[in-house]
Amino acid sequence: MFGLHYRLERKAIGLVLGIMLVASIGGIVEIAPLFTIHQTVEDVPDMRVYTPLEVAGRNIYIREGCYACHSQMIRTLRDEVERYGPYSLAVESKYDHPMLWGSKRTGPDLARIGGKYSDEWHVAHLMDPRAVVPESVMPSYGWLARSDLRTDNLGRHLKALRTVGVPYTDEMIASASADAYGQTAPDTNFAAGVAKRYGEATNIRPFGATPNGGLTEMDALVAYLQILGRLTDAAHRPVGG
Amino acid sequence: MIAELTKNERNGALVILAVLTVVGLVMAVAGYADPFGIHGGLVAIAALAGIFAVISGYFAPEPTLARFGEYYDTPSKIGIGLAMAWAVFGLFVGDWVAWLLAYPNATFDAGWSSFGRLRPVHTTGVIFGFGGNALIATSFHVMQRTCRARLPDQLTPLFVLFGYNLFCILAVTGYLMGLTQSKEYAEPEWYVDLWLVVVWVTYLVLYLRLLARRREPHIYVANWYYLAFIVVVAMLHVVNNLAVPISFYEAKSYSLFSGVQDAMTEWWYGHNAVAFFLTSGFLGMMYYYLPKRAGRPIFSYRMSIVSFWGITFFYMWAGSHHLHYTALPQWVQTLGMTFSLMLLIPSWGSAGNALLTLNGAWGRVRDDATLRFMMVAAVFYGLTTFEGSFMAIRSVNSLSHYTDWTIGHVHAGALGWVAMITFGSIYALVPWLWKREGMYSPRAVEVHFWLALGGTLVYVLAMWNSGIIQGLMWRTYNDSGTLAYSFVDSVVAMRPYYIARAIGGLMFLLGAIVGSWNIWMTVRMPAPVPADAGGDQPAIALQAGE
């Protein structure tokens, strides 16, 4: 064996090929089957896609690095289920490009934060976390309420997401910018279009921040936080049900 | 620098920089409504600065053939300077965000200065800025010596070094503007990733060209590790960063993978960025500078073979231990745990090989802070790999995951192993490269050593405590069977440890500043006696026509 190596280490290309071969095996065995074994991701008929406003909010969550301190993955442990809710299923992040499971909880898990607090609570908390939770160490995100949300390129966002596998229709892509506004304007034709395309269960309301002005990044982020864990009810159903 | 290039190389540099300027300008114009355009402007400015530098040295006389009688060390010298600059910058940002967890208002009311954007600036600054530059600088030095051959040309190594630093600058400025893929340790967006591919492939080809010129039949162990570092990082980088941009004039992209497949790919990448960037490359450093400085041959050649292939094979399976008890199928979790445990054998093989090499030189370890840096690095490498295997066990991981224990573990490795072996190697290398008797101030090396060791211990002990307390508080039940603590109770309990950690980090930062000053003073010292290379010359001196 060492004799063989004695010869191998005289050949640069041999070493490179050897390294590539030896280093490939682990990834091929562990990753490739995740795409082919059907049970890896549960089949759930009621799984919805993010609306354009929620996609925009998710991108703000990514941009500000929220995932560095908040996980979105409730583990199959009793204390986690009692603290945060039913453990996370693979299907719940099926349309998450990329996933935001996180690796650290400087703050609590957010996988099921949607609907747990009011929009007003979220806005107040993001403006100044310590006004709501005095012991919090979270940064303030006041500038989000001062920043207009960019919606003109949301169609391109949805299109790219469709390329990587999220089932957005041509209609959804064409009306992405209007739908972002419509989701915050109940009782308008725009809102009706959102409900028609994304389902009646979609949250359609102003999300608090700026009732009269245009859309802000705060609105989008709150819209995203309020949908977390609510794209499907699969995790709340009994196993096998 | 420019005077060392031949006429052809100067022209080549101008062509490359002109192309880069055009690319930058096109990016700036096409992406004027997006941060993408700002990055285009940055690329154009960097390339124009390069053109200015080349032109200002363009009419200097060409280097003589005598250059073939000497190793080409300019890129290593610049690389060491850049590595120390990134170290001070990256550690400063790290310590700033550490204080933010104790004093969350100690920042500005603007996006760029919030914790979430600064944190990747810290990780990229220290891993890729400091670590990457140190690896490139030392790899050029080590491979020339162990091959007894000069670098094949003078332009390519400079392209690799400056191109790599352009990558780092685009990455860091991108985070401040909010550009990130959110994949940990792979945050830069698609076009920055593409640029790194160009640089990295050039680096690999350069390495292979040099190996082809070697005057030693065998390729030395250190080069196996540097090779594995270059080859595998390329594989990881390409697969994990596969993404679809929303357009070719906007920065945003969407990862090709989603959910569980994305999580597995990310941690296959993330764990092996630790393996092949922060371990393999630095083992290459250790296998050259430690025996050199100790004046002892490597303890066991066979042990290095077993360790090398063990690390290359086992590490790639271990990533899934980052996903215990998640929605990842259990069979993958179990494989990850099993291979993480087996990984201890090659890891301790390397650590043991390093420490046993010091047998017969322990007196020098006592007296020489430079060698002591390397010895402590090997000890931390052994401790951290043991801790890592331990934390990969499912039941241990159920406590440690998501807590500060992970942060403590990472810093035991990053400060104790990676930074210590780098500082030790740089302190050995600087006097060799600049042909000085020794460092300007051996005393300052001693001060740096104790600041670094003290800072690391304070940091790691604080994070062990906070992490275990945090994990226990989250799972503690009352007698009545309900959870005993709210989440915010655990946040309050962390505060003293967060302050201690920030102090440990500050000590480490101060050490790096002392080290940078010492290196600067050494370079500025007058050169002693007629420079005698003392055998430090390539074997292929004076072969014309190359």
Side-chain angles (χ1 to χ4, degrees), chain A residues 80-107:
Chain A
E80 299 219 348
V81 170
E82 290 185 12
R83 188 180 296 278
Y84 300 117
Y87 58 81
S88 300
L89 301 180
V91 67
E92 291 179 281
S93 46
K94 181 180 169 184
Y95 297 136
D96 285 9
H97 295 266
M99 58 85 208
L100 294 172
W101 291 10
S103 60
K104 177 77 200 333
R105 285 182 186 151
T106 305

PDB file of all heavy atoms in Angstrom, chain A residues 80-107:
ATOM      1  N   GLU A  80     -38.502  21.272  22.067  1.00  0.00           N
ATOM      2  CA  GLU A  80     -38.652  22.198  20.930  1.00  0.00           C
ATOM      3  C   GLU A  80     -40.096  22.232  20.456  1.00  0.00           C
ATOM      4  O   GLU A  80     -40.625  23.287  20.118  1.00  0.00           O
ATOM      5  CB  GLU A  80     -37.728  21.780  19.776  1.00  0.00           C
ATOM      6  CG  GLU A  80     -36.284  21.808  20.177  1.00  0.00           C
ATOM      7  CD  GLU A  80     -35.365  22.343  19.083  1.00  0.00           C
ATOM      8  OE1 GLU A  80     -35.805  22.488  17.944  1.00  0.00           O
ATOM      9  OE2 GLU A  80     -34.204  22.604  19.424  1.00  0.00           O
ATOM     10  N   VAL A  81     -40.721  21.055  20.414  1.00  0.00           N
ATOM     11  CA  VAL A  81     -42.110  21.003  19.962  1.00  0.00           C
ATOM     12  C   VAL A  81     -42.996  21.756  20.949  1.00  0.00           C
ATOM     13  O   VAL A  81     -43.912  22.485  20.560  1.00  0.00           O
ATOM     14  CB  VAL A  81     -42.551  19.536  19.804  1.00  0.00           C
ATOM     15  CG1 VAL A  81     -44.052  19.444  19.575  1.00  0.00           C
ATOM     16  CG2 VAL A  81     -41.803  18.892  18.640  1.00  0.00           C
ATOM     17  N   GLU A  82     -42.710  21.631  22.252  1.00  0.00           N
ATOM     18  CA  GLU A  82     -43.532  22.342  23.236  1.00  0.00           C
ATOM     19  C   GLU A  82     -43.270  23.841  23.217  1.00  0.00           C
ATOM     20  O   GLU A  82     -44.143  24.647  23.512  1.00  0.00           O
ATOM     21  CB  GLU A  82     -43.290  21.766  24.635  1.00  0.00           C
ATOM     22  CG  GLU A  82     -43.887  20.372  24.731  1.00  0.00           C
ATOM     23  CD  GLU A  82     -43.801  19.782  26.116  1.00  0.00           C
ATOM     24  OE1 GLU A  82     -43.482  20.514  27.070  1.00  0.00           O
ATOM     25  OE2 GLU A  82     -44.045  18.568  26.234  1.00  0.00           O
ATOM     26  N   ARG A  83     -42.058  24.231  22.877  1.00  0.00           N
ATOM     27  CA  ARG A  83     -41.741  25.664  22.866  1.00  0.00           C
ATOM     28  C   ARG A  83     -42.224  26.341  21.576  1.00  0.00           C
ATOM     29  O   ARG A  83     -42.747  27.443  21.598  1.00  0.00           O
ATOM     30  CB  ARG A  83     -40.227  25.860  23.014  1.00  0.00           C
ATOM     31  CG  ARG A  83     -39.803  27.314  23.213  1.00  0.00           C
ATOM     32  CD  ARG A  83     -38.299  27.462  23.366  1.00  0.00           C
ATOM     33  NE  ARG A  83     -37.770  26.808  24.550  1.00  0.00           N
ATOM     34  CZ  ARG A  83     -37.777  27.338  25.775  1.00  0.00           C
ATOM     35  NH1 ARG A  83     -38.308  28.519  25.976  1.00  0.00           N
ATOM     36  NH2 ARG A  83     -37.279  26.663  26.798  1.00  0.00           N
ATOM     37  N   TYR A  84     -42.011  25.657  20.446  1.00  0.00           N
ATOM     38  CA  TYR A  84     -42.220  26.336  19.161  1.00  0.00           C
ATOM     39  C   TYR A  84     -43.400  25.800  18.351  1.00  0.00           C
ATOM     40  O   TYR A  84     -43.852  26.465  17.426  1.00  0.00           O
ATOM     41  CB  TYR A  84     -40.955  26.222  18.300  1.00  0.00           C
ATOM     42  CG  TYR A  84     -39.728  26.847  18.926  1.00  0.00           C
ATOM     43  CD1 TYR A  84     -38.621  26.068  19.261  1.00  0.00           C
ATOM     44  CD2 TYR A  84     -39.681  28.208  19.174  1.00  0.00           C
ATOM     45  CE1 TYR A  84     -37.494  26.638  19.825  1.00  0.00           C
ATOM     46  CE2 TYR A  84     -38.565  28.790  19.740  1.00  0.00           C
ATOM     47  CZ  TYR A  84     -37.468  27.999  20.062  1.00  0.00           C
ATOM     48  OH  TYR A  84     -36.358  28.563  20.622  1.00  0.00           O
ATOM     49  N   GLY A  85     -43.840  24.568  18.618  1.00  0.00           N
ATOM     50  CA  GLY A  85     -44.911  23.988  17.831  1.00  0.00           C
ATOM     51  C   GLY A  85     -44.429  22.732  17.126  1.00  0.00           C
ATOM     52  O   GLY A  85     -43.297  22.302  17.323  1.00  0.00           O
ATOM     53  N   PRO A  86     -45.314  22.135  16.301  1.00  0.00           N
ATOM     54  CA  PRO A  86     -44.966  20.860  15.650  1.00  0.00           C
ATOM     55  C   PRO A  86     -43.625  20.943  14.908  1.00  0.00           C
ATOM     56  O   PRO A  86     -43.303  21.973  14.332  1.00  0.00           O
ATOM     57  CB  PRO A  86     -46.104  20.668  14.644  1.00  0.00           C
ATOM     58  CG  PRO A  86     -47.232  21.480  15.169  1.00  0.00           C
ATOM     59  CD  PRO A  86     -46.635  22.619  15.908  1.00  0.00           C
ATOM     60  N   TYR A  87     -42.882  19.844  14.962  1.00  0.00           N
ATOM     61  CA  TYR A  87     -41.566  19.864  14.326  1.00  0.00           C
ATOM     62  C   TYR A  87     -41.688  20.109  12.817  1.00  0.00           C
ATOM     63  O   TYR A  87     -42.702  19.787  12.202  1.00  0.00           O
ATOM     64  CB  TYR A  87     -40.775  18.588  14.625  1.00  0.00           C
ATOM     65  CG  TYR A  87     -41.430  17.298  14.210  1.00  0.00           C
ATOM     66  CD1 TYR A  87     -41.370  16.848  12.903  1.00  0.00           C
ATOM     67  CD2 TYR A  87     -42.102  16.496  15.145  1.00  0.00           C
ATOM     68  CE1 TYR A  87     -41.960  15.664  12.526  1.00  0.00           C
ATOM     69  CE2 TYR A  87     -42.701  15.299  14.779  1.00  0.00           C
ATOM     70  CZ  TYR A  87     -42.624  14.900  13.471  1.00  0.00           C
ATOM     71  OH  TYR A  87     -43.221  13.725  13.092  1.00  0.00           O
ATOM     72  N   SER A  88     -40.644  20.687  12.237  1.00  0.00           N
ATOM     73  CA  SER A  88     -40.679  21.093  10.838  1.00  0.00           C
ATOM     74  C   SER A  88     -40.631  19.889   9.908  1.00  0.00           C
ATOM     75  O   SER A  88     -39.905  18.931  10.165  1.00  0.00           O
ATOM     76  CB  SER A  88     -39.493  22.006  10.528  1.00  0.00           C
ATOM     77  OG  SER A  88     -39.547  23.146  11.341  1.00  0.00           O
ATOM     78  N   LEU A  89     -41.394  19.959   8.835  1.00  0.00           N
ATOM     79  CA  LEU A  89     -41.365  18.918   7.809  1.00  0.00           C
ATOM     80  C   LEU A  89     -40.560  19.421   6.605  1.00  0.00           C
ATOM     81  O   LEU A  89     -40.481  20.629   6.364  1.00  0.00           O
ATOM     82  CB  LEU A  89     -42.786  18.580   7.353  1.00  0.00           C
ATOM     83  CG  LEU A  89     -43.755  18.090   8.421  1.00  0.00           C
ATOM     84  CD1 LEU A  89     -45.115  17.804   7.794  1.00  0.00           C
ATOM     85  CD2 LEU A  89     -43.232  16.827   9.110  1.00  0.00           C
ATOM     86  N   ALA A  90     -40.009  18.468   5.869  1.00  0.00           N
ATOM     87  CA  ALA A  90     -39.206  18.846   4.694  1.00  0.00           C
ATOM     88  C   ALA A  90     -40.035  19.646   3.694  1.00  0.00           C
ATOM     89  O   ALA A  90     -39.553  20.598   3.078  1.00  0.00           O
ATOM     90  CB  ALA A  90     -38.615  17.611   4.026  1.00  0.00           C
ATOM     91  N   VAL A  91     -41.318  19.272   3.563  1.00  0.00           N
ATOM     92  CA  VAL A  91     -42.153  19.919   2.543  1.00  0.00           C
ATOM     93  C   VAL A  91     -42.326  21.405   2.829  1.00  0.00           C
ATOM     94  O   VAL A  91     -42.518  22.212   1.914  1.00  0.00           O
ATOM     95  CB  VAL A  91     -43.527  19.214   2.448  1.00  0.00           C
ATOM     96  CG1 VAL A  91     -44.330  19.427   3.727  1.00  0.00           C
ATOM     97  CG2 VAL A  91     -44.307  19.719   1.241  1.00  0.00           C
ATOM     98  N   GLU A  92     -42.226  21.784   4.096  1.00  0.00           N
ATOM     99  CA  GLU A  92     -42.484  23.185   4.436  1.00  0.00           C
ATOM    100  C   GLU A  92     -41.431  24.136   3.864  1.00  0.00           C
ATOM    101  O   GLU A  92     -41.678  25.335   3.747  1.00  0.00           O
ATOM    102  CB  GLU A  92     -42.573  23.347   5.953  1.00  0.00           C
ATOM    103  CG  GLU A  92     -43.825  22.673   6.508  1.00  0.00           C
ATOM    104  CD  GLU A  92     -43.924  22.798   8.017  1.00  0.00           C
ATOM    105  OE1 GLU A  92     -43.246  22.030   8.730  1.00  0.00           O
ATOM    106  OE2 GLU A  92     -44.670  23.660   8.479  1.00  0.00           O
ATOM    107  N   SER A  93     -40.244  23.618   3.554  1.00  0.00           N
ATOM    108  CA  SER A  93     -39.259  24.487   2.903  1.00  0.00           C
ATOM    109  C   SER A  93     -39.003  24.063   1.458  1.00  0.00           C
ATOM    110  O   SER A  93     -37.995  24.402   0.860  1.00  0.00           O
ATOM    111  CB  SER A  93     -37.950  24.520   3.701  1.00  0.00           C
ATOM    112  OG  SER A  93     -37.554  23.228   4.069  1.00  0.00           O
ATOM    113  N   LYS A  94     -39.986  23.338   0.911  1.00  0.00           N
ATOM    114  CA  LYS A  94     -39.854  22.833  -0.452  1.00  0.00           C
ATOM    115  C   LYS A  94     -39.625  23.942  -1.470  1.00  0.00           C
ATOM    116  O   LYS A  94     -38.912  23.758  -2.456  1.00  0.00           O
ATOM    117  CB  LYS A  94     -41.153  22.085  -0.793  1.00  0.00           C
ATOM    118  CG  LYS A  94     -41.240  21.466  -2.149  1.00  0.00           C
ATOM    119  CD  LYS A  94     -42.605  20.773  -2.260  1.00  0.00           C
ATOM    120  CE  LYS A  94     -42.907  20.349  -3.672  1.00  0.00           C
ATOM    121  NZ  LYS A  94     -44.277  19.768  -3.745  1.00  0.00           N
ATOM    122  N   TYR A  95     -40.238  25.111  -1.252  1.00  0.00           N
ATOM    123  CA  TYR A  95     -40.092  26.218  -2.202  1.00  0.00           C
ATOM    124  C   TYR A  95     -39.096  27.266  -1.699  1.00  0.00           C
ATOM    125  O   TYR A  95     -39.069  28.387  -2.192  1.00  0.00           O
ATOM    126  CB  TYR A  95     -41.454  26.866  -2.481  1.00  0.00           C
ATOM    127  CG  TYR A  95     -42.437  25.920  -3.141  1.00  0.00           C
ATOM    128  CD1 TYR A  95     -43.768  25.852  -2.726  1.00  0.00           C
ATOM    129  CD2 TYR A  95     -42.022  25.090  -4.178  1.00  0.00           C
ATOM    130  CE1 TYR A  95     -44.661  24.989  -3.321  1.00  0.00           C
ATOM    131  CE2 TYR A  95     -42.910  24.211  -4.774  1.00  0.00           C
ATOM    132  CZ  TYR A  95     -44.229  24.159  -4.352  1.00  0.00           C
ATOM    133  OH  TYR A  95     -45.110  23.306  -4.939  1.00  0.00           O
ATOM    134  N   ASP A  96     -38.306  26.909  -0.689  1.00  0.00           N
ATOM    135  CA  ASP A  96     -37.334  27.851  -0.138  1.00  0.00           C
ATOM    136  C   ASP A  96     -36.009  27.746  -0.888  1.00  0.00           C
ATOM    137  O   ASP A  96     -35.225  26.827  -0.675  1.00  0.00           O
ATOM    138  CB  ASP A  96     -37.100  27.576   1.356  1.00  0.00           C
ATOM    139  CG  ASP A  96     -38.250  28.059   2.215  1.00  0.00           C
ATOM    140  OD1 ASP A  96     -39.286  28.452   1.649  1.00  0.00           O
ATOM    141  OD2 ASP A  96     -38.119  28.034   3.456  1.00  0.00           O
ATOM    142  N   HIS A  97     -35.775  28.704  -1.776  1.00  0.00           N
ATOM    143  CA  HIS A  97     -34.512  28.782  -2.540  1.00  0.00           C
ATOM    144  C   HIS A  97     -33.772  30.033  -2.097  1.00  0.00           C
ATOM    145  O   HIS A  97     -34.122  31.110  -2.558  1.00  0.00           O
ATOM    146  CB  HIS A  97     -34.775  28.881  -4.046  1.00  0.00           C
ATOM    147  CG  HIS A  97     -35.413  27.678  -4.652  1.00  0.00           C
ATOM    148  ND1 HIS A  97     -34.705  26.667  -5.240  1.00  0.00           N
ATOM    149  CD2 HIS A  97     -36.706  27.325  -4.768  1.00  0.00           C
ATOM    150  CE1 HIS A  97     -35.534  25.752  -5.708  1.00  0.00           C
ATOM    151  NE2 HIS A  97     -36.754  26.128  -5.431  1.00  0.00           N
ATOM    152  N   PRO A  98     -32.786  29.997  -1.257  1.00  0.00           N
ATOM    153  CA  PRO A  98     -32.288  28.833  -0.535  1.00  0.00           C
ATOM    154  C   PRO A  98     -33.098  28.598   0.741  1.00  0.00           C
ATOM    155  O   PRO A  98     -33.903  29.437   1.116  1.00  0.00           O
ATOM    156  CB  PRO A  98     -30.877  29.290  -0.166  1.00  0.00           C
ATOM    157  CG  PRO A  98     -31.032  30.753   0.057  1.00  0.00           C
ATOM    158  CD  PRO A  98     -32.061  31.210  -0.932  1.00  0.00           C
ATOM    159  N   MET A  99     -32.819  27.466   1.397  1.00  0.00           N
ATOM    160  CA  MET A  99     -33.465  27.216   2.696  1.00  0.00           C
ATOM    161  C   MET A  99     -32.891  28.187   3.730  1.00  0.00           C
ATOM    162  O   MET A  99     -31.785  28.699   3.574  1.00  0.00           O
ATOM    163  CB  MET A  99     -33.252  25.765   3.134  1.00  0.00           C
ATOM    164  CG  MET A  99     -31.803  25.335   3.251  1.00  0.00           C
ATOM    165  SD  MET A  99     -31.029  25.721   4.838  1.00  0.00           S
ATOM    166  CE  MET A  99     -29.308  25.884   4.368  1.00  0.00           C
ATOM    167  N   LEU A 100     -33.677  28.439   4.766  1.00  0.00           N
ATOM    168  CA  LEU A 100     -33.202  29.324   5.838  1.00  0.00           C
ATOM    169  C   LEU A 100     -33.311  28.604   7.178  1.00  0.00           C
ATOM    170  O   LEU A 100     -33.806  29.162   8.155  1.00  0.00           O
ATOM    171  CB  LEU A 100     -34.021  30.623   5.844  1.00  0.00           C
ATOM    172  CG  LEU A 100     -33.831  31.496   4.596  1.00  0.00           C
ATOM    173  CD1 LEU A 100     -34.827  32.658   4.588  1.00  0.00           C
ATOM    174  CD2 LEU A 100     -32.415  32.039   4.546  1.00  0.00           C
ATOM    175  N   TRP A 101     -32.861  27.348   7.206  1.00  0.00           N
ATOM    176  CA  TRP A 101     -32.984  26.557   8.434  1.00  0.00           C
ATOM    177  C   TRP A 101     -32.160  27.170   9.566  1.00  0.00           C
ATOM    178  O   TRP A 101     -32.484  27.041  10.721  1.00  0.00           O
ATOM    179  CB  TRP A 101     -32.523  25.114   8.197  1.00  0.00           C
ATOM    180  CG  TRP A 101     -33.441  24.330   7.308  1.00  0.00           C
ATOM    181  CD1 TRP A 101     -34.490  24.816   6.576  1.00  0.00           C
ATOM    182  CD2 TRP A 101     -33.387  22.918   7.054  1.00  0.00           C
ATOM    183  NE1 TRP A 101     -35.089  23.790   5.873  1.00  0.00           N
ATOM    184  CE2 TRP A 101     -34.431  22.611   6.152  1.00  0.00           C
ATOM    185  CE3 TRP A 101     -32.550  21.889   7.499  1.00  0.00           C
ATOM    186  CZ2 TRP A 101     -34.670  21.314   5.700  1.00  0.00           C
ATOM    187  CZ3 TRP A 101     -32.790  20.596   7.048  1.00  0.00           C
ATOM    188  CH2 TRP A 101     -33.832  20.312   6.157  1.00  0.00           C
ATOM    189  N   GLY A 102     -31.052  27.815   9.202  1.00  0.00           N
ATOM    190  CA  GLY A 102     -30.226  28.468  10.217  1.00  0.00           C
ATOM    191  C   GLY A 102     -29.364  27.483  10.983  1.00  0.00           C
ATOM    192  O   GLY A 102     -29.484  26.263  10.833  1.00  0.00           O
ATOM    193  N   SER A 103     -28.448  28.043  11.785  1.00  0.00           N
ATOM    194  CA  SER A 103     -27.550  27.177  12.541  1.00  0.00           C
ATOM    195  C   SER A 103     -27.372  27.681  13.968  1.00  0.00           C
ATOM    196  O   SER A 103     -26.645  27.106  14.745  1.00  0.00           O
ATOM    197  CB  SER A 103     -26.179  27.123  11.851  1.00  0.00           C
ATOM    198  OG  SER A 103     -25.628  28.420  11.776  1.00  0.00           O
ATOM    199  N   LYS A 104     -28.039  28.770  14.327  1.00  0.00           N
ATOM    200  CA  LYS A 104     -27.761  29.400  15.615  1.00  0.00           C
ATOM    201  C   LYS A 104     -29.032  30.065  16.109  1.00  0.00           C
ATOM    202  O   LYS A 104     -29.766  30.635  15.306  1.00  0.00           O
ATOM    203  CB  LYS A 104     -26.654  30.460  15.443  1.00  0.00           C
ATOM    204  CG  LYS A 104     -26.316  31.254  16.680  1.00  0.00           C
ATOM    205  CD  LYS A 104     -25.464  30.443  17.619  1.00  0.00           C
ATOM    206  CE  LYS A 104     -25.463  30.930  19.043  1.00  0.00           C
ATOM    207  NZ  LYS A 104     -25.702  32.284  19.336  1.00  0.00           N
ATOM    208  N   ARG A 105     -29.285  29.957  17.434  1.00  0.00           N
ATOM    209  CA  ARG A 105     -30.438  30.651  18.005  1.00  0.00           C
ATOM    210  C   ARG A 105     -29.978  31.666  19.025  1.00  0.00           C
ATOM    211  O   ARG A 105     -30.011  31.403  20.226  1.00  0.00           O
ATOM    212  CB  ARG A 105     -31.404  29.658  18.654  1.00  0.00           C
ATOM    213  CG  ARG A 105     -32.211  28.864  17.662  1.00  0.00           C
ATOM    214  CD  ARG A 105     -33.184  27.926  18.343  1.00  0.00           C
ATOM    215  NE  ARG A 105     -33.846  27.066  17.358  1.00  0.00           N
ATOM    216  CZ  ARG A 105     -34.293  25.849  17.628  1.00  0.00           C
ATOM    217  NH1 ARG A 105     -34.147  25.336  18.845  1.00  0.00           N
ATOM    218  NH2 ARG A 105     -34.872  25.144  16.678  1.00  0.00           N
ATOM    219  N   THR A 106     -29.535  32.823  18.544  1.00  0.00           N
ATOM    220  CA  THR A 106     -29.310  33.922  19.473  1.00  0.00           C
ATOM    221  C   THR A 106     -30.676  34.467  19.866  1.00  0.00           C
ATOM    222  O   THR A 106     -30.872  34.935  20.979  1.00  0.00           O
ATOM    223  CB  THR A 106     -28.447  35.000  18.808  1.00  0.00           C
ATOM    224  OG1 THR A 106     -27.241  34.378  18.346  1.00  0.00           O
ATOM    225  CG2 THR A 106     -28.088  36.106  19.782  1.00  0.00           C
ATOM    226  N   GLY A 107     -31.611  34.373  18.925  1.00  0.00           N
ATOM    227  CA  GLY A 107     -33.024  34.623  19.192  1.00  0.00           C
ATOM    228  C   GLY A 107     -33.790  33.339  18.938  1.00  0.00           C
ATOM    229  O   GLY A 107     -33.215  32.343  18.505  1.00  0.00           O
TER     230      GLY A 107
END
